[in-house]
Amino acid sequence: MKTDQEYLDLDKQLLWHPYTSMSKPSPHFLVEKALGCEITLNDGRTLIDGMSSWWSVIHGYNHPTLNDAIQEQLSQFSHIMFGGFTHKPAIELAEKLVAITPSELQRVFFSDSGSVSVEVALKMAIQYWNTQNKPDKQFFVTPKSGYHGDTFAAMSVCDPENGMHNLFTGALTKQFFISPPPTGLNEPIQIEYLTEIRNTFEENHERIAGFIIEPVVQNAGGMRFYNPEYLNQIRALCDEFDILLIFDEIATGFGRTGKLFATDHTNICPDIMCVGKALTGGYMTLAATLTNDKVALGISDNSGVFMHGPTFMGNPLACAAANASLSLLSEYDIPAQISQLETWMEEALSPCEQLEQVKEIRCLGGIGVVELKNPVNLHEIQPKFVELGVWIRPFGKLIYLMPPYVISKEQINLLGKAIYHVASELPG
């Protein structure tokens, strides 16, 4: 039997982790178990989870309801191809998603990751316009500072300059980029920004298939919060210029912004909406792309089939976990529970405002952000958080929290104290 250190040595030798180097890897910590909002390492140390495992484990780890749902489905069958077959977990999940998302979204396409759900959305838009005898509508408009995934079409609509994918610029489809939405949830609308969008549409609408955006919060592109009224205005512009509106709710969906979906901060409905991450409560990889009858029937009535079919589409185990997760979520008072979480984070992070290293503190729903004046070195800063008994993974200039919804005030306070301690030791 291998020792824990032998496992770690093999990891360093064999495994290529995300956003890291094989020759100069960041430290990785061997997990023994996880329960609730705590992660236990192989050496016995326990960490409070401030990340929800990349924003997905909203109910905490090892939840009995989710465990039971997967075990029950496992006793029947774990996977079956979705071509020619169907199954109750997928049907029930589609029914639940249609019930809780904007009313016009009546059709559901499952995939196995958020990035792929974006690929599906972009393909839907292009294929739809092809069936409407507008084959030149092949491109997309999107704001800078956006992030939509690491696969190729998704990378093409991520920030081309300051994002993670500028290395691949030459290989990506050239899309139309506009300025990021002006920040500030309650800041007045800047007409100049809407004029920029209008001008882009006027000049290029015959080539534009869709406008894709993360509603209300640009997440991995900088945790930027903006006024939802921009989305209402963008919807009107899309209608005027015959352009599909696509919302990427992968990070913002299922309560993270204080409403069930960030779309609920608006009074409009997108033509296509992507969901993932918290869909299964962080148990299984699963995503969905929802659309309206205009798109779904436009494609189906004119070209017969939509040209996409993931092998693990509609995986029964993942669908069972998602059904259980959505049932749990329906028992929450989302506005009250997430508002309380927001208040706790504001209180826990507020001491950081005194630090010269800090530019701004901002919170929205289950998102708490400490924006620094200078970027952090993840390789150096991650172990410091582990030493303090918390799991926080900063990026760029941001030290942020997206904890499980079931976290306690005491645990939030410990996360806040750890951030203050580590930030105070950074260069000013």
Side-chain angles (χ1 to χ4, degrees):
M1 180 179 291
K2 296 181 180 68
T3 66
D4 289 345
Q5 187 56 52
E6 286 173 332
Y7 274 113
L8 286 168
D9 291 342
L10 275 173
D11 177 278
K12 189 174 182 179
Q13 175 187 343
L14 301 174
L15 290 177
W16 204 340
H17 287 265
Y19 312 116
T20 192
S21 165
M22 294 242 24
S23 56
K24 297 179 180 179
S26 299
H28 286 86
F29 303 91
L30 188 61
V31 176
E32 188 70 24
K33 62 181 179 181
L35 179 65
C37 299
E38 295 184 343
I39 300 166
T40 302
L41 302 182
N42 66 297
D43 59 11
R45 287 183 292 176
T46 299
L47 311 179
I48 299 170
D49 179 25
M51 297 286 96
S52 301
S53 278
W54 270 334
W55 325 340
S56 63
V57 184
I58 56 176
H59 309 294
Y61 297 94
N62 226 337
H63 197 290
T65 299
L66 298 180
N67 291 354
D68 290 347
I70 290 175
Q71 289 174 3
E72 181 179 351
Q73 181 58 43
L74 185 62
S75 68
Q76 298 174 41
F77 56 98
S78 61
H79 183 61
I80 197 77
M81 64 186 291
F82 216 54
F85 288 124
T86 191
H87 50 83
K88 291 178 183 178
I91 297 167
E92 291 170 358
L93 179 55
E95 184 180 31
K96 288 182 178 180
L97 287 172
V98 165
I100 63 176
T101 54
S103 60
E104 294 175 23
L105 302 175
Q106 292 288 313
R107 312 290 177 160
V108 182
F109 191 98
F110 290 122
S111 58
D112 39 11
S113 76
S115 182
V116 176
S117 76
V118 171
E119 301 275 334
V120 168
L122 303 183
K123 288 177 69 174
M124 275 183 184
I126 291 171
Q127 190 171 347
Y128 168 75
W129 288 118
N130 194 275
T131 65
Q132 305 304 301
N133 298 314
K134 296 183 178 181
D136 292 336
K137 291 171 82 70
Q138 297 267 332
F139 301 93
F140 296 87
V141 178
T142 191
K144 294 179 180 178
S145 295
Y147 173 82
H148 301 282
D150 293 341
T151 50
F152 259 73
M155 284 196 296
S156 78
V157 289
C158 295
D159 191 299
E161 298 166 1
N162 300 312
M164 295 181 279
H165 305 127
N166 55 359
L167 170 67
F168 304 99
T169 300
L172 299 176
T173 300
K174 301 295 186 288
Q175 310 289 9
F176 296 98
F177 287 91
I178 58 171
S179 303
T183 55
L185 281 168
N186 301 306
E187 290 297 313
I189 294 297
Q190 295 185 18
I191 300 302
E192 297 82 2
Y193 183 67
L194 297 173
T195 300
E196 179 185 353
I197 299 174
R198 172 175 286 278
N199 292 340
T200 302
F201 284 5
E202 283 181 341
E203 294 171 11
N204 305 285
H205 66 93
E206 293 181 353
R207 303 172 61 208
I208 297 171
F211 183 103
I212 182 169
I213 188 170
E214 300 159 276
V216 184
V217 182
Q218 289 185 292
N219 294 276
M223 296 295 175
R224 303 176 73 258
F225 308 158
Y226 63 90
N227 191 331
E229 178 58 25
Y230 284 112
L231 300 170
N232 295 325
Q233 299 297 323
I234 290 168
R235 170 78 273 181
L237 288 168
C238 286
D239 291 342
E240 180 180 347
F241 289 96
D242 216 12
I243 291 167
L244 298 179
L245 178 59
I246 304 169
F247 279 178
D248 177 351
E249 288 256 21
I250 294 162
T252 55
F254 307 107
R256 184 56 70 178
T257 67
K259 293 183 181 289
L260 192 56
F261 294 97
T263 311
D264 297 334
H265 291 277
T266 75
N267 55 22
I268 52 94
C269 177
D271 296 292
I272 303 173
M273 189 166 93
C274 303
V275 296
K277 285 195 181 293
L279 175 57
T280 68
Y283 263 62
M284 307 280 291
T285 179
L286 181 68
T289 306
L290 291 88
T291 191
N292 53 30
D293 280 350
K294 179 178 82 169
V295 173
L297 299 182
I299 292 172
S300 301
D301 291 347
N302 292 282
S303 61
V305 298
F306 175 54
M307 297 305 297
H308 201 88
T311 300
F312 291 96
M313 179 179 179
N315 174 260
L317 287 180
C319 289
N323 281 318
S325 178
L326 292 182
S327 293
L328 280 175
L329 199 60
S330 70
E331 298 173 4
Y332 296 177
D333 181 343
I334 289 290
Q337 187 161 340
I338 305 303
S339 175
Q340 183 180 67
L341 179 55
E342 180 179 344
T343 299
W344 290 348
M345 287 194 293
E346 286 174 342
E347 293 173 353
L349 297 177
S350 61
C352 294
E353 291 178 327
Q354 306 167 12
L355 299 175
E356 61 176 348
Q357 296 90 338
V358 172
K359 177 182 178 182
E360 183 184 40
I361 307 294
R362 54 185 180 272
C363 296
L364 172 64
I367 307 169
V369 182
V370 176
E371 182 172 350
L372 304 170
K373 295 176 182 176
N374 299 300
V376 300
N377 184 322
L378 178 64
H379 186 96
E380 295 176 355
I381 202 172
Q382 186 91 79
K384 293 181 179 180
F385 283 119
V386 172
E387 290 172 7
L388 293 171
V390 299
W391 183 249
I392 297 171
R393 186 178 173 87
F395 69 90
K397 297 180 181 180
L398 305 179
I399 303 177
Y400 72 97
L401 297 176
M402 277 200 185
Y405 299 163
V406 294
I407 198 166
S408 69
K409 182 177 183 180
E410 290 72 23
Q411 290 171 319
I412 288 290
N413 287 339
L414 290 172
L415 288 165
K417 289 177 181 178
I419 291 174
Y420 180 90
H421 180 83
V422 171
S424 69
E425 295 183 341
L426 296 172

